[in-house]
Amino acid sequence: MPRRRMSVFVNLLSYVLLSQALVAQTTPGGGAQRTNEGAQPVSRGGVNTGTPHIAILDDQKRPITAGGFVATGPAVFLDLTEKAGLDKWTHVMGAGDLKYILETVGSGVGLIDYDNDGWLDLYFVNGSTYEAASGGKPAPHAALFHNNHDGTFTNVAARAGVQNDRWGFGVAVADYDNDGWPDMYVSNFGENRLYHNNHDGTFSDVGVRAGVALGNWSTGATWGDYDGDGKLDLFVPGYVHYDIAQPPSQGTKEVPLSFCQFRGVAVMCGPKGLQGEPDHLFHNNGNGTFTDSSKQAGVADDKAGYYGLASLFVD
């Protein structure tokens, strides 16, 4: 047989044998354990995409990411963080080594004129750490920066009662009770908060009483009037069903190694291979409480088990 035909034949035979091996590994009796991703179909790949790529160098033989900022050019934006007084607050998300997926997702920011003075204020959600979550250290605080009308801001979160002190991920601003004052829904790992505006520069957390606190890992919530009754309803996506006492680690039977690598480098495990958290659509009852209508509306995602990060009402 000519050499070219022999090469094609060998490659084709190798492909067929590899395909048969994969089928044997992912079918009952094939000798390998199937890995569930929540309730989603089984994946064969994880996030292991091979070895790291060789760095691309610039004209000075440096990695292109080490070049820094250019010395000249048009100033499109100016960094006024320090001048505005926003540099005294620090965002915290985990211990810094990003060992677990809970430590790898950032937090949200809300624009809100909470005191109705016509100037937008800023609400910065904060994360947390395992030590703080277990009570071993004080929890990091969220920040509510009051607009001073002169280009500066003052953090009034403690006085306003909105420090959260939970592992925060998102915030959605809306006047859910139609009283003319904006309120805030803060999504956390753990119970969420619904901060009702008291009209005096303070807020009260009414999440439990309103029926929207939930209890595992919520992400980017949004407000919208899905039934057109003039009252804002609330949609809260769920990300991963997470057990902080038994976090997913490499090599455990719950999470195969392939779900804990990226280009051959060990990274945090997930979200593939982890159980998804359901979504929730809360109908506004018009009396300060909400009813979970997720299943009735067909948006619960309690069977597919996908991973929700953000949401939006659109027409």
Side-chain angles (χ1 to χ4, degrees):
M1 182 181 295
R3 181 176 299 176
R4 177 178 175 82
R5 291 187 178 181
M6 176 63 75
S7 177
V8 172
F9 175 75
V10 170
N11 290 337
L12 179 60
L13 179 61
S14 299
Y15 174 79
V16 172
L17 292 176
L18 177 60
S19 300
Q20 291 176 344
L22 289 174
V23 171
Q25 290 174 357
T26 55
T27 54
Q33 184 178 0
R34 292 169 64 89
T35 303
N36 290 326
E37 302 176 22
Q40 302 178 52
V42 174
S43 172
R44 296 174 181 170
V47 292
N48 185 0
T49 56
T51 58
H53 294 298
I54 299 174
I56 300 175
L57 306 181
D58 62 14
D59 56 359
Q60 300 182 36
K61 307 301 182 183
R62 304 172 303 180
I64 58 174
T65 55
F69 295 98
V70 296
T72 60
V76 181
F77 291 95
L78 294 177
D79 185 357
L80 301 177
T81 305
E82 183 177 357
K83 184 177 179 180
L86 302 174
D87 61 325
K88 303 299 188 293
W89 178 83
T90 301
H91 176 257
V92 177
M93 186 59 72
D97 56 359
L98 307 183
K99 186 177 181 181
Y100 302 114
I101 190 173
L102 189 63
E103 303 172 294
T104 65
V105 183
S107 302
V109 176
L111 303 178
I112 175 175
D113 180 13
Y114 78 95
D115 53 354
N116 274 344
D117 64 355
W119 296 73
L120 279 176
D121 312 294
L122 306 173
Y123 184 75
F124 291 174
V125 181
N126 214 340
S128 191
T129 65
Y130 274 83
E131 285 185 288
S134 63
K137 284 189 175 182
H141 302 314
L144 175 61
F145 284 104
H146 176 261
N147 193 324
N148 298 326
H149 311 175
D150 59 1
T152 68
F153 294 81
T154 301
N155 188 359
V156 297
R159 182 165 74 246
V162 292
Q163 289 183 305
N164 191 25
D165 294 348
R166 293 174 182 167
W167 207 314
F169 288 94
V171 56
V173 176
D175 178 14
Y176 76 89
D177 55 352
N178 290 336
D179 64 354
W181 294 75
D183 313 293
M184 296 189 296
Y185 185 81
V186 179
S187 51
N188 300 306
F189 170 71
E191 288 190 347
N192 302 327
R193 295 189 188 272
L194 176 57
Y195 285 120
H196 177 261
N197 196 320
N198 298 326
H199 312 172
D200 60 0
T202 68
F203 293 78
S204 297
D205 179 13
V206 298
V208 174
R209 184 167 75 246
V212 294
L214 298 176
N216 200 265
W217 192 345
S218 301
T219 48
T222 188
W223 298 91
D225 182 10
Y226 79 91
D227 57 351
D229 64 355
K231 299 183 289 292
L232 287 175
D233 310 296
L234 176 66
F235 183 82
V236 185
Y239 188 40
V240 169
H241 188 79
Y242 197 83
D243 184 354
I244 197 169
Q246 295 181 316
S249 302
Q250 296 184 30
T252 61
K253 63 180 181 179
E254 293 83 5
V255 188
L257 185 61
S258 63
F259 292 106
C260 309
Q261 291 185 352
F262 182 73
R263 292 181 177 172
V265 177
V267 296
M268 59 81 189
C269 302
K272 280 192 173 182
L274 305 180
Q275 179 183 346
E277 179 71 10
D279 302 328
H280 295 271
L281 175 63
F282 292 105
H283 177 261
N284 192 329
N285 298 325
N287 59 0
T289 67
F290 293 77
T291 299
D292 192 338
S293 58
S294 311
K295 293 185 178 180
Q296 179 182 353
V299 295
D301 189 26
D302 55 344
K303 295 181 180 179
Y306 294 113
Y307 311 117
L309 275 174
S311 56
L312 183 67
F313 281 97
V314 294
D315 182 2

